[in-house]
């Protein structure tokens, strides 16, 4: 049984149907709503009050120069990508520990270990949230509840194409040209496949991943030049 929530009901149904198709016996509950709001979280938790697996993945803020961000912009971004997952962890982790099994995966950003003037909010917010999770992950693992992070780099998604489109218009190029140019800059020579990301997430959620906790796994094709 799985519960999915998202703001767009149409995209939500499409994703749910993709899960049902190969596994007809699975029960997929769709909850259309905004998880960054109290009402959205209440609806999701009402549909699935005792999850064994929690995947936090609210959409990130748009790129931009921090000089153009207002206080409301910052609060909205931090509420969505830091306070919301904290609230969801708080609402579910005790039940997981009582049942002696739980997997929490926070999908954050490669900005955890790099800095960018174009991605001001993730650069500031992601390390703070990562630090918070690192502390509690060491306390929950004794009850077989792990908390880890996945840090995506450039994956072939609508979000990446959206930023590519803006750049293409600015430079007078086609989207395909910009995307090809960007892909070549990555050591892998390509963007990540969303399926690759899903496989990594599935592994962290599995029963055999109980000895991995408080970790942040970077999936960026080798773009980050460090070793840790």
């Amino acid at each position: 049984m799985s519960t999915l929530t998202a703001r767009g009901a149409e995209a939500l149904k499409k994703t749910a149907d993709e899960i049902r198709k190969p596994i007809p016996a699975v029960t997929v509950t769709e909850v259309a709503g905004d998880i960054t709001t109290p009402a959205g979280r209440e609806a999701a938790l009402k549909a699935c009050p005792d999850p064994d697996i929690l995947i936090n993945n609210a959409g990130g803020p748009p790129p931009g120069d921090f000089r153009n961000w207002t206080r409301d912009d910052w609060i909205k971004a931090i509420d969505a990508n830091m306070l919301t997952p904290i609230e969801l962890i708080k609402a579910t982790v005790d039940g997981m520990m009582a049942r002696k099994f739980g997997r929490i995966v926070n999908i954050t950003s490669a900005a955890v270990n790099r800095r960018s003037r174009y991605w001001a909010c993730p650069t500031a917010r992601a390390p703070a949230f990562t630090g918070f999770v690192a502390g509690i992950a060491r306390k929950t693992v004794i009850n077989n509840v792990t908390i880890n992070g996945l840090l995506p780099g450039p994956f072939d998604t609508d979000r990446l194409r959206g930023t590519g489109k803006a750049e293409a218009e600015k430079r007078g190029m086609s989207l395909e040209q910009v995307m090809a140019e960007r892909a070549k800059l990555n050591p892998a020579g390509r963007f990540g496949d969303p399926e690759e990301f899903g496989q990594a997430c599935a592994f962290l959620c599995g029963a055999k991943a109980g000895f991995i906790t408080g970790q942040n796994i970077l999936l960026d094709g080798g773009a980050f030049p460090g070793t840790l």
Side-chain angles (χ1 to χ4, degrees), residues 129-155:
F129 177 57
T130 300
F132 165 79
V133 168
I136 61 173
R138 270 75 182 182
K139 297 178 180 179
T140 62
V141 69
I142 196 168
N143 290 301
N144 193 27
V145 178
T146 65
I147 309 176
N148 293 290
L150 285 178
L151 285 53
F155 275 76

Side-chain angles (χ1 to χ4, degrees), residues 2-227:
S2 62
T3 300
L4 307 178
T5 184
R7 288 182 286 262
E10 185 177 340
L12 183 63
K13 185 179 186 308
K14 181 181 178 182
T15 300
D17 287 342
E18 288 175 354
I19 296 172
R20 295 181 184 112
K21 187 174 181 180
I23 316 172
V26 71
T27 299
V28 182
T29 302
E30 304 162 39
V31 181
D34 186 348
I35 197 68
T36 68
T37 66
R41 290 190 290 274
E42 183 180 354
L45 291 169
K46 182 177 180 180
C48 185
D50 299 305
D52 293 315
I53 298 171
L54 171 65
I55 309 241
N56 286 312
N57 184 32
D65 192 310
F66 78 95
R67 297 174 185 83
N68 300 322
W69 281 55
T70 66
R71 174 179 169 79
D72 287 344
D73 292 329
W74 280 99
I75 295 300
K76 182 179 180 182
I78 292 171
D79 191 36
N81 298 118
M82 181 175 176
L83 300 182
T84 287
I86 288 174
E87 287 292 328
L88 290 168
I89 292 171
K90 183 171 70 173
T92 59
V93 72
D94 287 340
M96 292 178 180
M97 289 194 292
R99 296 188 299 275
K100 303 299 181 182
F101 181 87
R103 299 289 183 263
I104 299 174
V105 178
N106 301 306
I107 299 175
T108 59
S109 168
V112 165
N113 59 10
R114 71 184 67 181
R115 301 293 175 261
S116 171
R117 64 193 180 101
Y118 297 109
W119 295 92
C121 185
T123 297
R125 178 267 310 162
F129 177 57
T130 300
F132 165 79
V133 168
I136 61 173
R138 270 75 182 182
K139 297 178 180 179
T140 62
V141 69
I142 196 168
N143 290 301
N144 193 27
V145 178
T146 65
I147 309 176
N148 293 290
L150 285 178
L151 285 53
F155 275 76
D156 190 4
T157 62
D158 290 341
R159 180 173 171 80
L160 186 68
R161 289 183 173 275
T163 62
K165 184 178 179 180
E167 182 179 344
E169 292 174 353
K170 184 177 181 180
R171 297 173 58 189
M173 300 170 63
S174 70
L175 174 60
E176 289 71 22
Q177 288 174 314
V178 169
M179 296 298 282
E181 186 179 275
R182 286 185 176 185
K184 287 181 181 179
L185 294 174
N186 191 285
R190 65 178 179 87
F191 296 125
D193 184 335
E195 187 172 345
E196 294 176 298
F197 192 89
Q199 292 287 349
C201 188
F203 172 75
L204 288 178
C205 293
K208 298 300 183 180
F211 210 55
I212 304 173
T213 197
Q215 302 305 304
N216 293 282
I217 300 175
L218 184 64
L219 295 89
D220 71 348
F224 178 63
T227 56

